[in-house]
């Protein structure tokens, strides 16, 4: 019963059993090489747009507020960020973003990296670009660079910085960055993760750390501070910023 098809000399079928142990890598190698090349081209494209040979960053380089240094004990290359060295009133957010991207793309080798941010003696009016700008810069980074950032050491955070990051920071910072922040209240704790000599510590940071060693409550605004901590308002400095609001000397006489 049933129909039967006449044999054909043009039909040939080859069946490969799954248990023959055939190595499929030679068939996939070409495809994998193509994918790797495409990824490399994509990575270069991410950085190429920020490597502008016509852009002059020599003025920012001379400030040394963002520079590549050694490595931590986990093998992460270190970008040192000194907040006090950053002139916020004269550097706009767009140029700051271009500079940071340029430094990362032109100087950072392949592999993981970390950021050591020194918040010591930062004044909001003079050294702080703003929460929104910092978030914008981070979010604009290519995803592959954000994934390579392993940890951010936050040196001398102070009470208000901790409160800000613990409350507002949860909403303004992406989860990836928020959980990478590690607060370091004293330099002695930093040496648990970074060997001495791998990173240069400015003299004012070391002096500030010495003050905190002898007067730890200064960090919380309870004790006076002759070094003008960023977390404690400086009344003399505040008056100096608003001299134009005072009446003339003749009127005050």
């Amino acid at each position: 019963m049933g129909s039967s098809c006449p044999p054909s000399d043009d039909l040939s079928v080859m069946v490969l059993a799954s248990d023959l142990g055939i190595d499929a890598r030679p068939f996939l190698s070409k495809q994998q090489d193509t994918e790797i090349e495409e990824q490399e081209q994509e990575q270069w494209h991410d950085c190429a747009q920020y490597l502008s040979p016509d852009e002059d960053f020599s003025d920012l380089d001379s400030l040394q507020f963002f520079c590549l240094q050694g490595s931590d004990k986990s093998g992460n290359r270190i970008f040192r960020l000194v907040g006090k060295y950053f002139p916020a009133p004269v550097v706009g957010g767009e140029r700051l973003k271009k500079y940071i991207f340029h430094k990362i793309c032109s100087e950072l080798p392949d592999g993981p990296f970390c950021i050591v941010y020194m918040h010591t003696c930062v004044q909001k009016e003079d050294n702080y670009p703003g929460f929104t700008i910092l978030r914008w810069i981070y979010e604009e980074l290519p995803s592959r660079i954000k994934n390579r950032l392993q940890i951010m050491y936050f040196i001398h955070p102070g009470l208000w910085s901790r409160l800000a990051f613990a409350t507002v920071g949860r909403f303004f910072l992406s989860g990836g960055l928020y959980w990478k922040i590690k607060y370091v209240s004293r330099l002695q704790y930093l040496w648990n993760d970074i060997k001495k000599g791998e990173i240069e510590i400015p003299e004012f940071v070391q002096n500030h750390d010495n003050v905190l060693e002898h007067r730890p409550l200064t960090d919380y605004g309870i004790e006076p501070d002759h070094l003008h901590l960023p977390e404690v308002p400086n009344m003399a400095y505040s008056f100096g910023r608003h001299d134009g609001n005072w009446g003339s000397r003749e009127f005050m006489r």
Side-chain angles (χ1 to χ4, degrees), residues 30-214:
K30 185 176 181 180
Q31 180 181 356
Q32 292 175 345
D33 293 341
T34 303
E35 293 177 353
I36 292 175
E37 291 178 0
E38 292 177 352
Q39 291 176 359
E40 291 177 349
Q41 291 177 357
E42 182 180 355
Q43 292 174 0
W44 169 248
H45 176 73
D46 289 339
C47 276
Q49 58 183 318
Y50 305 112
L51 296 176
S52 176
D54 299 330
E55 191 82 25
D56 183 16
F57 294 115
S58 58
D59 56 334
L60 298 181
D61 282 333
S62 64
L63 298 176
Q64 293 290 300
F65 74 89
F66 188 65
C67 58
L68 185 67
Q69 300 206 332
S71 304
D72 66 5
K73 293 182 179 179
S74 298
N76 305 314
R77 290 303 305 271
I78 299 173
F79 260 117
R80 189 194 70 170
L81 178 59
V82 183
K84 183 179 172 65
Y85 290 167
F86 176 66
V90 297
V91 180
E94 182 65 30
R95 188 158 191 255
L96 175 61
K97 186 190 79 168
K98 289 182 178 179
Y99 178 66
I100 290 179
F101 282 27
H102 175 82
K103 294 285 285 185
I104 292 177
C105 292
S106 62
E107 298 183 7
L108 183 65
D110 292 336
F113 72 100
C114 65
I115 294 177
V116 177
Y117 169 58
M118 300 180 182
H119 190 64
T120 316
C121 298
V122 166
Q123 296 289 341
K124 181 178 180 181
E125 299 87 350
D126 296 331
N127 314 119
Y128 186 57
F131 223 138
T132 305
I133 292 179
L134 294 177
R135 178 181 181 272
W136 169 60
I137 292 176
Y138 177 79
E139 295 297 338
E140 287 289 314
L141 283 171
S143 58
R144 69 179 188 85
I145 293 181
K146 287 189 286 189
N147 293 335
R148 290 167 58 191
L149 175 60
Q150 302 301 305
I151 187 172
M152 186 177 81
Y153 301 95
F154 197 119
I155 312 298
H156 297 150
L159 176 61
W160 295 112
S161 297
R162 288 177 179 268
L163 291 176
F165 276 93
T167 55
V168 181
R170 289 179 176 268
F171 301 98
F172 281 90
L173 297 179
S174 63
L177 178 61
Y178 181 81
W179 296 109
K180 292 179 181 180
I181 298 176
K182 180 176 182 178
Y183 298 106
V184 183
S185 58
R186 299 292 184 274
L187 291 177
Q188 62 175 328
Y189 304 131
L190 181 65
W191 307 138
N192 294 332
D193 299 293
I194 301 175
K195 292 182 180 180
K196 291 185 178 180
E198 291 290 332
I199 183 172
E200 181 181 354
I201 305 296
E203 183 178 359
F204 76 91
V205 176
Q206 184 63 65
N207 292 339
H208 172 65
D209 199 76
N210 293 336
V211 170
L212 297 180
E213 283 293 330
H214 295 91

Side-chain angles (χ1 to χ4, degrees), residues 228 232-242:
H228 307 310
V232 182
N234 183 346
M235 298 306 295
Y237 180 82
S238 298
F239 290 150
R241 296 280 291 183
H242 303 283

